[in-house]
Amino acid sequence: MKFDLSEDQALLQSSTRDFLGSELPIDKTRNVMEHHADGYEPAQWRSFAEMGYIGLTLPATAGGQGLGTIELAIVLEEMGRVCAPGPFLDVVLAASLLAAAGKQDALLADVVSGKTLVTIARQDSPFSGNHIEPSRFENGRVRGTKYFVPFAARTDALLVTTPQGIVLVRAPYEVVPLQTIDLGQRFAEVKLDNEGTLIGGPELLEKVDLLAAVGASAMMLGLMSRALEVTLGYVQTRQAFKRPIGGFQALQHRLADMLLKTESTRSAVYRAAWCLDTGDRDTALACATAKAYGGDASRYVCGEAIQMHGGIGFTWELDLHFYFKRAKTLEQFYGSTEVQLEKAFAAAGY
Amino acid sequence: MDLQLSDKHVKFRDELRAWLKANMGRPWREELRDPKASEDSLMELRRGWQRKLYEAGYLGMDWPAEWGGRGATEVEKSIFEAEMSGADAPPILNTLGIGLLGPALIHHGSEAQRRRFIPPMLSGEEIWCQGFSEPGAGSDLAALRTSAAIDGDHFVLNGQKIWTTFGPWADWIFVLARTDSKDRYGGISFILCKLDTPGVTVRRLRQITGESEFGEVFFEDARVPRENLVGQIGEGWRIAMTVLAFERGAMGLAAAEKYGRDLRLLAETCKELGREGGAVREKLARLLVENEVLRANGLRMLANLADGKVPGPESSIEKIFWSEFDKRFRETALDILGPGGQLLRTSPEARPDVDWSREFLWSRAGTIYSGSSEVQRNIISKRVLNLPQEGR
């Protein structure tokens, strides 16, 4: 038994941290998110492919590295630490879905090499509720409207979920951008009346959903780790009443709770990743736990980080709001807390 | 990363499970609600159960072989605790002797002290209580004032200890006492005192559950032979701190087992009562998720122990997590059950599976004893976050 990363995993962690540190410094990221129409730099996307990140968990036959969910969690945690903008997690999930469906080798190879962008179009309604009319696949055509499709404007194809199964639809389709709080995670409404190819049944999403839960929570872990670090630095230097504010117990105990939530999320995330990799019988419960707990924890930690910075914490100028917003976005997507709670309930057999 | 128990540890766990199946009587919750049970009879039951475990070699497993050791480590101990918890086995009686004094004697005691005290401690013939807290020294333990004056070959103890768990049932107490009134930390010594020593009085304290598991101990010119000093004069604080680190071992897994079982029973009760609406489901699911995080923290701690790592301040995270969760869990359980959750276990209407009202009250203790949540947060902010300390 061992909780620490293996030598290879630790190497992946440090190389990813170095790479993202030079590739995505927060000033550059801020500039890209504020000024680039896509919220990320497509040119930079190729570098992720070159590093092997996109195909990390895919088999070598699909151009991937054949690594596990733990390795994916390591990379996503680092992406969270720098608040990386762009569709990384979305494309990883789409690639995993394509791989699970099979018979899409050429497209998959292009996705893994960074040439082609594919994401999953999932939401049938902008708000949660039961008035939803799902998109339908009939006679070779998919018709309907999908909401909050990740980075739809840049995609070359979409994997559209329908009651009939998962349908591969190639661009062009009608894309209406949706403006949301997170500038690094762009969404759009997509109106579909397109030809498509059915690539598999809805059950293919089950495994992808588990990966989505772990992946999103790993990214949230990175967000909150960094937000806590930044805040610890701030409270040691910021003076009030002639002393560093980090000397006040009123803040110390809350910082201790921030650490507790961050480290508890770490335990939950890596346990879930390990379960997925080993096919442990607790996998479903562990994945739902990581996402449900991590969602609350990252919003809490990033929120406390803002509070402890005081007025400057509420400014656009400080970077923390990007972390806070990403935390909220990740919490609501990839299986919201409500969805994960139901999954946990079912997994425990209650 | 690997969270799978090694073959050796799986073998240990399976043997323990088989042993429990063959040797354990009724689950603890059934013993507790037996109408014939009294506080005294339950203590005797725990003593008998402890003896069985001792004879089977499950106590002091990580100590040297001559004191019951079997080359085991914190890993086997944690597995043992988790299995005991999972099976709802009765707790042993001498938890403080074996948990705290045993390690103190093994690390700091003399050969003669080990020979004299360890065997009856393990067998349950001599029960120990812990004389640390005082009316004026709780979280600020080093403010303790009980004095031990040297008089020839004796110490003369004067003062008062309080919140002394098992005080009313114990035969002996290990006491932190001042041998120097001026040296805050270096003036404290670690002394063993028999409770029937003239000048020692034990009084029961009634807890919020109505039970008297703890008490207070008064010393009035109580004479204790000098050979009952553990370590050197003035070494008491250091010994106490190493010993407390043992108390904060890998408790998360055992706690998650217990809460997981109670939570499942609560979910079944909800079904039976037709409490299956969204509000109740969400409450149950949130508790479930938190308990799984507790389990994940416990697995991480266990894996670190197996990896040869000494538990550091992360045990403070575990302590805060389980004790604060316990309170939320028990409060929520009562909310879900409605007024019936408040019924005492002696009431024929009370739920037969879990003693919800007692658990609700007991949960208030966990965040106070063994280093309150506030003390644990101080430890984290000082030793992990390296924050400047306020007024200390």
Side-chain angles (χ1 to χ4, degrees):
Chain A
M1 268 185 125
K2 181 184 172 76
F3 185 80
D4 285 359
L5 301 178
S6 71
E7 219 168 286
D8 285 349
Q9 289 165 346
L11 197 66
L12 174 67
Q13 184 184 53
S14 61
S15 67
T16 306
R17 190 167 298 186
D18 291 348
F19 171 76
L20 292 176
S22 64
E23 196 76 7
L24 290 175
I26 190 72
D27 291 343
K28 185 177 160 197
T29 294
R30 161 188 287 273
N31 192 42
V32 167
M33 289 196 291
E34 284 177 356
H35 301 298
H36 202 292
D38 298 310
Y40 75 109
E41 265 192 313
Q44 191 260 315
W45 183 251
R46 292 300 273 268
S47 72
F48 283 4
E50 282 157 21
M51 289 297 285
Y53 293 151
I54 300 175
L56 205 69
T57 60
L58 297 178
T61 49
Q65 299 206 50
L67 293 171
T69 314
I70 295 175
E71 283 79 6
L72 180 65
I74 290 168
V75 170
L76 278 162
E77 184 186 341
E78 294 304 318
M79 297 257 183
R81 285 181 61 89
V82 299
C83 203
F88 179 66
L89 177 57
D90 305 301
V91 173
V92 164
L93 296 175
S96 155
L97 187 53
L98 277 173
K103 294 186 209 146
Q104 297 295 330
D105 294 352
L107 178 59
L108 192 56
D110 285 346
V111 170
V112 171
S113 70
K115 213 164 90 188
T116 301
L117 204 70
V118 181
T119 65
I120 305 174
R122 192 103 190 242
Q123 300 266 117
D124 288 300
S125 161
F127 295 93
S128 300
N130 57 8
H131 58 284
I132 297 165
E133 268 185 58
S135 302
R136 298 193 62 81
F137 182 67
E138 275 157 356
N139 306 320
R141 285 190 85 79
V142 63
R143 287 193 183 84
T145 303
K146 287 286 185 182
Y147 298 85
F148 292 98
V149 180
F151 296 90
R154 290 290 313 180
T155 54
D156 304 288
L158 292 174
L159 299 175
V160 182
T161 60
T162 71
Q164 294 72 39
I166 295 147
V167 182
L168 171 65
V169 177
R170 301 208 181 239
Y173 21 73
E174 192 187 340
V175 173
V176 185
L178 294 169
Q179 269 140 20
T180 63
I181 57 175
D182 183 356
L183 286 173
Q185 179 76 44
R186 300 294 170 97
F187 297 100
E189 184 180 326
V190 178
K191 292 178 178 160
L192 293 161
D193 185 0
N194 291 57
E195 277 183 12
T197 315
L198 192 70
I199 62 163
E203 73 284 351
L204 285 182
L205 288 167
E206 283 170 25
K207 179 82 191 292
V208 173
D209 281 347
L210 296 173
L211 197 64
V214 178
S217 47
M219 209 163 174
M220 295 192 286
L221 171 61
L223 292 172
M224 60 180 128
S225 302
R226 184 65 192 148
L228 175 57
E229 272 175 28
V230 168
T231 307
L232 281 171
Y234 183 73
V235 301
Q236 304 256 24
T237 48
R238 169 70 186 174
Q239 303 259 333
F241 308 102
K242 295 182 183 165
R243 51 200 286 207
I245 59 172
F248 293 110
Q249 209 175 38
L251 295 193
Q252 288 180 347
H253 282 194
R254 286 161 57 192
L255 287 157
D257 283 341
M258 288 161 78
L259 181 81
L260 180 146
K261 285 179 193 281
T262 305
E263 288 308 308
S264 297
T265 302
R266 180 177 305 286
S267 305
V269 167
Y270 282 96
R271 179 192 179 208
W274 179 83
C275 282
L276 254 180
D277 284 345
T278 55
D280 194 271
R281 65 191 169 91
D282 289 333
T283 301
L285 183 53
C287 290
T289 294
K291 181 66 168 60
Y293 183 82
D296 280 344
S298 65
R299 177 180 22 78
Y300 174 86
V301 170
C302 294
E304 284 285 87
I306 288 176
Q307 173 69 21
M308 290 187 194
H309 277 76
I312 190 82
F314 192 66
T315 62
W316 190 269
E317 177 196 339
L318 197 78
D319 303 318
L320 277 175
H321 67 103
F322 294 122
Y323 284 76
F324 180 71
K325 291 165 180 171
R326 180 65 50 82
K328 191 66 200 171
T329 302
L330 290 168
E331 180 193 344
Q332 292 204 293
F333 290 87
Y334 312 105
S336 67
T337 302
E338 203 176 292
V339 166
Q340 302 298 345
L341 289 176
E342 286 294 348
K343 282 180 191 269
F345 207 84
Y350 284 3
Chain B
M1 229 192 119
D2 178 14
L3 299 179
Q4 187 68 53
L5 286 183
S6 69
D7 291 348
K8 184 179 96 175
H9 293 138
V10 169
K11 185 165 171 270
F12 171 82
R13 185 199 61 193
D14 290 347
E15 280 170 12
L16 174 58
R17 279 186 186 171
W19 186 89
L20 278 172
K21 211 169 166 195
N23 291 280
M24 197 184 111
R26 291 188 295 180
W28 182 233
R29 64 171 177 273
E30 286 179 26
E31 300 290 359
L32 280 173
R33 58 182 312 116
D34 187 329
K36 293 194 294 290
S38 67
E39 267 187 286
D40 285 322
S41 77
L42 289 170
M43 287 293 169
E44 282 318 304
L45 186 141
R46 290 172 66 172
R47 192 195 300 272
W49 173 237
Q50 178 181 331
R51 184 161 189 102
K52 258 188 172 174
L53 286 166
Y54 167 59
E55 283 164 359
Y58 284 118
L59 300 182
M61 279 184 291
D62 56 329
W63 298 355
E66 55 179 322
W67 311 121
R70 42 148 93 183
T73 62
E74 298 262 352
V75 180
E76 282 88 352
K77 251 172 51 182
S78 305
I79 295 171
F80 172 77
E81 295 295 343
E83 290 298 319
M84 294 277 283
S85 187
D88 197 15
I92 63 169
L93 183 52
N94 211 2
T95 48
L96 296 165
I98 293 173
L100 296 178
L101 181 61
L105 291 179
I106 282 170
H107 291 280
H108 305 279
S110 69
E111 191 53 29
Q113 286 169 342
R114 291 182 200 134
R115 220 175 286 286
R116 163 65 187 84
F117 293 114
I118 291 180
M121 169 197 302
L122 286 172
S123 68
E125 283 156 67
E126 284 179 351
I127 302 304
W128 287 84
C129 62
Q130 173 189 5
F132 281 17
S133 293
E134 296 184 4
S139 288
D140 181 12
L141 184 57
L144 62 90
R145 287 168 57 192
T146 294
S147 65
I150 299 170
D151 180 18
D153 53 2
H154 279 76
F155 291 105
V156 182
L157 296 185
N158 277 289
Q160 182 192 353
K161 294 292 175 181
I162 200 164
W163 325 134
T164 313
T165 302
F166 297 129
W169 283 273
D171 308 291
W172 284 80
I173 183 168
F174 49 100
V175 182
L176 287 184
R178 286 219 158 269
T179 38
D180 180 342
S181 60
K182 290 182 211 66
D183 189 342
R184 181 169 153 92
Y185 297 104
I188 296 173
S189 297
F190 196 109
I191 295 167
L192 312 177
C193 175
K194 204 157 194 282
L195 282 172
D196 64 6
T197 306
V200 179
T201 317
V202 182
R203 240 178 51 196
R204 287 179 180 229
L205 286 171
R206 198 156 184 223
Q207 295 164 311
I208 65 174
T209 56
E211 300 153 306
S212 294
E213 201 195 48
F214 66 27
E216 50 191 340
V217 182
F218 299 86
F219 301 93
E220 287 165 287
D221 293 328
R223 295 177 70 81
V224 177
R226 270 196 73 158
E227 67 209 42
N228 286 2
L229 171 74
V230 179
Q232 304 297 314
I233 296 263
E235 227 187 347
W237 184 258
R238 199 168 67 83
I239 298 174
M241 289 305 109
T242 41
V243 160
L244 286 176
F246 283 94
E247 196 180 13
R248 292 170 194 154
M251 292 305 297
L253 273 186
E257 284 293 325
K258 178 177 159 75
Y259 302 150
R261 184 183 57 239
D262 288 357
L263 199 48
R264 176 167 296 279
L265 291 166
L266 180 60
E268 282 166 16
T269 302
C270 286
K271 252 186 206 156
E272 189 188 315
L273 301 176
R275 299 277 283 142
E276 294 184 273
V280 169
R281 283 172 77 83
E282 177 170 359
K283 282 178 185 168
L284 287 173
R286 285 195 182 274
L287 293 172
L288 169 66
V289 158
E290 273 196 87
N291 193 47
E292 285 306 308
V293 176
L294 177 60
R295 193 188 306 280
N297 276 339
L299 277 168
R300 175 177 175 179
M301 178 84 91
L302 186 68
N304 279 337
L305 288 170
D307 195 20
K309 294 202 150 71
V310 181
E314 67 267 28
S315 28
S316 292
I317 289 182
E318 208 177 44
K319 166 83 204 301
I320 297 175
F321 200 114
W322 74 252
S323 59
E324 296 290 343
F325 173 63
D326 191 22
K327 288 200 291 204
R328 284 195 297 282
F329 173 24
R330 305 307 179 176
E331 281 163 7
T332 309
L334 256 61
D335 290 348
I336 292 176
L337 291 167
Q342 294 192 30
L343 289 169
L344 301 185
R345 66 168 173 263
T346 42
S347 160
E349 298 291 328
R351 295 294 308 174
D353 43 13
V354 179
D355 190 349
W356 292 110
S357 63
R358 181 174 184 270
E359 295 289 359
F360 167 68
L361 295 174
W362 254 112
S363 71
R364 308 312 299 191
T367 52
I368 300 171
Y369 68 66
S370 180
S372 67
S373 291
E374 289 70 26
V375 166
Q376 306 296 347
R377 288 188 178 99
N378 283 346
I379 292 173
I380 293 171
S381 69
K382 182 175 169 189
R383 302 210 197 128
V384 187
L385 304 178
N386 298 311
L387 292 168
Q389 292 306 290
E390 183 177 43
R392 267 177 299 136

